[in-house]
Amino acid sequence: MMSASSDDNDMSSEQDGLVEHRDASPILLNDPRKEPVAKFLGMCYICCFVLALTPCIVALLFATEYVNNTSSAICQQPLSSVDGYLIPLDIWLYTAATLTIIISLIYIFINGYQTFAASLITYTKISEYLLSTSHGLFQFVITSFHTAWGIIGIYMYSNQMSSECQSTDIATMILLFSILELMNTCCVSCCVCCMVANRDRASFQTNTTFMFNSTLSSPITNNTTQAQKV
């Protein structure tokens, strides 16, 4: 009787140990993909990048028509006090618009995939990369180029274009796009502040997600194997 009772106590203690081990494993309380804030921010990013494509397409149209337009003859020669434009006007527009279109399409794809189609692990990996130092350096280089390009555009408009040239469509487009380039610097600065503010949260979500997935693959299997042996 005492032997049977001790065996029952040993079995119950082992089962209690299994339950305690399972309860002690990390559990993912919230799926970040399903948070309303994450969905809202993802859609906002996509809308912003789609809107950014509009002036780029218009700029490409003006650059394409520049050679065959009357503004080409008016703006062909800069002011008599300068030898020539720092950058040909159509080349300036082609470069600014094309680079912005490429970057916008890349981020539209990334945000769209992360918001609507990514798995939990992929979602956290993308979030971790977007908040990483390497992505910050990439944004710094791109933003520095946009800022310098915008300053060049404003300089050409103010100091190298004649008053007749400033009234043409291509000159107006260069001025507006230069202002947008400088505004882009302000937007990126705000995004960097948000990235720094959410770095700890993204790191916590990433660590919790990987712990959760490792918990699904190992402890439950080990507990089942031990229970079968008992």
Side-chain angles (χ1 to χ4, degrees):
M1 293 293 292
M2 294 181 63
S3 176
S5 176
S6 61
D7 292 340
D8 292 339
N9 291 333
D10 294 339
M11 184 178 297
S12 61
S13 62
E14 291 178 357
Q15 292 177 351
D16 292 340
L18 293 176
V19 173
E20 290 177 359
H21 179 72
R22 184 177 299 177
D23 292 340
S25 61
I27 299 176
L28 184 63
L29 299 178
N30 295 318
D31 188 344
R33 299 172 299 171
K34 299 179 181 179
E35 291 185 2
V37 176
K39 292 286 186 182
F40 176 76
L41 289 178
M43 295 179 66
C44 285
Y45 291 146
I46 295 173
C47 291
C48 289
F49 287 117
V50 170
L51 291 176
L53 294 176
T54 304
C56 298
I57 296 174
V58 175
L60 288 179
L61 293 176
F62 279 118
T64 303
E65 298 176 356
Y66 173 66
V67 177
N68 300 323
N69 200 303
T70 55
S71 61
S72 175
I74 298 175
C75 296
Q76 194 68 35
Q77 295 296 330
L79 293 175
S80 58
S81 58
V82 296
D83 297 333
Y85 295 112
L86 286 177
I87 300 171
L89 303 185
D90 54 342
I91 298 300
W92 191 97
L93 281 179
Y94 276 128
T95 304
T98 303
L99 180 62
T100 304
I101 287 175
I102 293 174
I103 294 177
S104 297
L105 290 177
I106 291 174
Y107 279 101
I108 288 173
F109 172 77
I110 291 176
N111 282 279
Y113 178 76
Q114 183 186 25
T115 304
F116 301 107
S119 63
L120 185 57
I121 295 179
T122 305
Y123 180 94
T124 53
K125 286 183 177 180
I126 294 175
S127 298
E128 187 178 31
Y129 172 74
L130 292 177
L131 299 175
S132 64
T133 303
S134 58
H135 180 252
L137 292 175
F138 170 77
Q139 283 294 335
F140 174 78
V141 173
I142 295 298
T143 303
S144 299
F145 175 82
H146 281 297
T147 303
W149 208 250
I151 293 174
I152 292 174
I154 293 177
Y155 175 80
M156 292 192 302
Y157 181 88
S158 302
N159 300 315
Q160 295 187 331
M161 294 182 185
S162 62
S163 58
E164 292 82 6
C165 180
Q166 290 178 351
S167 62
T168 59
D169 292 338
I170 191 169
T172 303
M173 192 66 223
I174 288 177
L175 177 62
L176 293 177
F177 214 98
S178 299
I179 295 174
L180 291 176
E181 295 279 67
L182 298 179
M183 291 177 61
N184 177 69
T185 303
C186 300
C187 294
V188 172
S189 300
C190 294
C191 292
V192 169
C193 293
C194 294
M195 289 166 57
V196 173
N198 289 280
R199 181 184 295 274
D200 295 337
R201 182 182 181 187
S203 177
F204 171 77
Q205 289 180 345
T206 303
N207 295 333
T208 306
T209 301
F210 284 112
M211 292 172 64
F212 175 70
N213 284 278
S214 63
T215 301
L216 290 179
S217 60
S218 57
I220 295 178
T221 305
N222 294 336
N223 293 342
T224 305
T225 304
Q226 294 178 3
Q228 291 176 353
K229 290 181 180 180
V230 173

